Amino acid sequence: LIHPPQPKSLDDRLDIPLQLAYLANFARKSIKDLKVKIVDLSSVEESSWKEKIGYADLYGVTVYTASYNKALKIRDICNQTNSRNCVIAGGHHVTALPEQSFKDFPVIVCGEGEQALVNVIKSNFPGRYACSRGEVDDYDYPAWDLLDFESYHRKIGGKKCISVITSRGCPYNCNFCSRDVMGSRVRFRTKEKVLEEIRYLVDHYTNAFIFYDDIFVMNRSRLYWLCDRFKELGIKFRCNGRVGLSTYKDFKKLKAAGC
């Protein structure tokens, strides 16, 4: 599973490729004896891409509009290494422009990729695959063990932080955003699952986090429950909200919890 570089970013290695980590863990739990590797090419010189990518039976590439040409170069390297033309493309650009993407990649996945990736592997790679949105607790946790946490740069409160997502989807329709991948129905992970993950990450990695939910503050009762537990753990974090959605009481609750 390959994350392309983002050369227009101010810091190309700021955050872990969280979605690829979800894909990796779901795939290896769904298919017995499957071996999965995550290759993050952010901040990697192009001359080293081929060595980093190596041989695989199937390659999956995240495709963003800003790095589409980079994704095509990655596709070519994969095909040089394994001539079976077994490169699958997924992500926001592919979901927004599937017809264009299908001209350039033999397999595309539109929308969420977990179940679709498993279907691709089991069917021996033909054609394209539509989005299949499951319940987020079904996806379990990302494959933290496949990532080099120390190589990423984002800090919160002076400490290396790690990315977490506790819900998928957003009901709003902002002009600058695309909901195509995660959808308009908000699907929450159970708060107990979220707390379990945060405790694990505090024990093994860091106590600083960035929550990448589109709107972390959407469910107030859930938010308050999590804030009380976060306060007990002594974590620091950032999260996304929305103008007009939160109250002053919400802000005080978040502040006390370490936001």
Side-chain angles (χ1 to χ4, degrees):
L1 296 172
I2 304 168
H3 186 256
Q6 309 298 314
K8 300 300 182 183
S9 299
L10 292 176
D11 184 346
D12 190 22
R13 204 168 181 87
L14 197 58
D15 294 308
I16 62 172
L18 186 60
Q19 190 54 44
L20 289 188
Y22 269 110
L23 292 174
N25 206 36
F26 187 79
R28 67 186 183 183
K29 286 194 170 189
S30 301
I31 301 175
K32 186 180 179 181
D33 297 327
L34 182 72
K35 294 180 180 179
V36 186
K37 180 181 178 182
I38 295 175
V39 178
D40 188 352
L41 295 179
S42 59
S43 299
V44 175
E45 292 292 331
E46 192 171 324
S47 59
S48 300
W49 288 4
K50 187 171 185 178
E51 179 185 356
K52 288 280 186 182
I53 292 170
Y55 180 89
D57 294 313
L58 176 66
Y59 302 93
V61 184
T62 301
V63 181
Y64 303 100
T65 302
S67 58
Y68 195 80
N69 289 336
K70 301 289 186 184
L72 294 178
K73 289 184 178 180
I74 292 168
R75 175 206 62 188
D76 292 342
I77 290 172
C78 294
N79 286 333
Q80 290 167 14
T81 308
N82 182 342
S83 60
R84 294 175 64 198
N85 197 27
C86 51
V87 182
I88 175 175
H92 287 279
H93 183 91
V94 174
T95 302
L97 296 170
E99 298 304 325
Q100 180 225 39
S101 303
F102 197 52
K103 294 177 182 177
D104 291 327
F105 293 91
V107 185
I108 64 169
V109 166
C110 299
E112 286 183 6
E114 280 89 350
Q115 188 58 56
L117 177 62
V118 170
N119 294 343
V120 170
I121 297 169
K122 288 182 175 180
S123 64
N124 202 27
F125 328 146
R128 68 182 79 187
Y129 289 79
C131 165
S132 55
R133 295 188 179 105
E135 296 307 314
V136 288
D137 276 342
D138 295 341
Y139 301 142
D140 203 22
Y141 302 125
W144 303 116
D145 58 299
L146 298 183
L147 297 168
D148 178 13
F149 171 63
E150 289 299 326
S151 71
Y152 295 93
H153 302 156
R154 188 182 292 279
K155 291 184 177 181
I156 290 176
K159 290 187 176 182
K160 286 280 186 80
C161 85
I162 204 161
S163 309
V164 177
I165 189 163
T166 77
S167 66
R168 296 188 184 188
C170 178
Y172 296 100
N173 195 29
C174 300
N175 285 339
F176 62 83
C177 188
S178 169
R179 299 175 302 171
D180 291 348
V181 172
M182 298 303 181
S184 58
R185 181 174 71 90
V186 182
R187 293 158 294 145
F188 295 99
R189 292 172 59 198
T190 58
K191 56 185 185 290
E192 292 82 7
K193 275 274 193 181
V194 175
L195 181 61
E196 183 181 279
E197 179 176 4
I198 296 301
R199 282 176 170 160
Y200 173 83
L201 294 173
V202 168
D203 289 342
H204 292 85
Y205 294 99
T206 182
N207 68 341
F209 303 95
I210 182 165
F211 292 102
Y212 270 122
D213 306 46
D214 286 317
I215 307 178
F216 183 74
V217 301
M218 180 162 292
N219 184 318
R220 184 168 283 118
S221 62
R222 178 179 184 268
L223 174 69
Y224 281 20
W225 189 93
L226 287 172
C227 282
D228 289 341
R229 303 311 179 280
F230 291 170
K231 185 177 180 180
E232 294 169 2
L233 289 173
I235 69 171
K236 296 293 183 183
F237 66 94
R238 293 178 187 163
C239 63
N240 295 317
R242 179 181 168 85
V243 171
L245 192 64
S246 298
T247 66
Y248 183 64
K249 184 180 178 181
D250 298 341
F251 297 141
K252 290 179 68 176
K253 197 78 173 177
L254 284 159
K255 169 76 171 174
C259 184

